[in-house]
Amino acid sequence: METTQRTVNGFKPEDITATINALKEDPALAKFQWRARNKWISGGHNRSRIQDFYGGGKEDASRTEPFVVDNAEPPILLGNNEGPNPVEFILHGLAGCMTTTMVLHAAAHGISIDSVETSLTGDWDAQGFLGLDENVRNGYQQVNVNFKIEGDLTEEQKEQLISFAKKSPVYDIVTHGVPVKVGLQEAEAVI
């Protein structure tokens, strides 16, 4: 006889519980180090390779191939559209992380969601980046995130889902300054 495990929003509640219990038992398992390696191609075009990371108390080997992501600039910013630009990737990362965080926490609370769509806008003024006006910030002046959430949900539940989304790690990164250390890597010797 085949048994089907129940899922909520694509997650198995028992997997969520097991993960939470494992982290409560050994908080060191919650420590992760994410990695990306980037190489400049030409002009505003560069490419990142994302594969290995540390998590769950060990180096992860689940990714046999790297994710390869190009980013570039549109022609108005002197590029050739080889990929989205880095500030657009921030919107992508924010949308993805807030959405995943929302549906995971909803599943952990037994709240079923039919669909979530997110639209984001980021207001940016190139004068800061180009050093034309020192009073203009280099990054976004404002980011707007709007969710369209469907399901058999009350308005209170939808507000609870928004509060879940704000638990997103990328939301935290974007809304609170994160220390970033910048340095030089020694060049490898050519043999």
Side-chain angles (χ1 to χ4, degrees):
M1 181 165 132
E2 187 176 312
T3 59
T4 306
Q5 290 186 327
R6 181 178 79 93
T7 63
V8 179
N9 306 332
F11 293 99
K12 296 176 187 168
E14 60 273 12
D15 289 349
I16 296 171
T17 301
T19 299
I20 290 170
N21 288 339
L23 297 179
K24 283 180 179 178
E25 188 174 309
D26 186 357
L29 295 176
K31 306 291 185 195
F32 280 72
Q33 183 183 68
W34 301 104
R35 303 177 186 129
R37 291 165 183 83
N38 183 276
K39 184 171 182 172
W40 171 62
I41 307 294
S42 178
H45 181 200
N46 58 80
R47 179 172 293 138
S48 293
R49 300 173 72 78
I50 301 167
Q51 183 175 3
D52 60 313
F53 66 91
Y54 177 90
K58 62 184 178 187
E59 286 294 322
D60 183 83
S62 65
R63 298 173 176 169
T64 58
E65 297 291 325
F67 297 108
V68 179
V69 183
D70 282 31
N71 69 80
E73 298 293 340
I76 194 167
L77 292 175
L78 309 174
N80 296 309
N81 281 327
E82 294 94 346
N85 73 20
V87 293
E88 291 171 307
F89 272 111
I90 294 296
L91 296 179
H92 166 70
L94 183 59
C97 194
M98 289 183 80
T99 300
T100 299
T101 301
M102 175 193 294
V103 298
L104 172 68
H105 280 272
H109 286 83
I111 301 171
S112 181
I113 300 171
D114 292 339
S115 72
V116 177
E117 294 180 23
T118 315
S119 61
L120 291 88
T121 59
D123 298 329
W124 181 72
D125 186 334
Q127 292 179 88
F129 162 70
L130 294 172
L132 300 175
D133 186 339
E134 65 185 38
N135 296 313
V136 174
R137 176 182 180 148
N138 295 339
Y140 283 127
Q141 281 78 43
Q142 180 172 320
V143 173
N144 296 299
V145 181
N146 290 293
F147 289 104
K148 179 181 176 187
I149 306 168
E150 295 185 0
D152 186 19
L153 303 162
T154 65
E155 286 305 311
E156 292 80 22
Q157 286 175 313
K158 288 182 180 180
E159 289 301 319
Q160 185 179 22
L161 295 175
I162 298 297
S163 72
F164 292 156
K166 290 180 178 179
K167 293 179 181 286
S168 151
V170 176
Y171 177 81
D172 179 75
I173 291 166
V174 170
T175 59
H176 299 89
V178 174
V180 177
K181 296 179 182 178
V182 179
L184 291 172
Q185 181 177 352
E186 294 296 320
E188 294 180 20
V190 178
I191 299 177

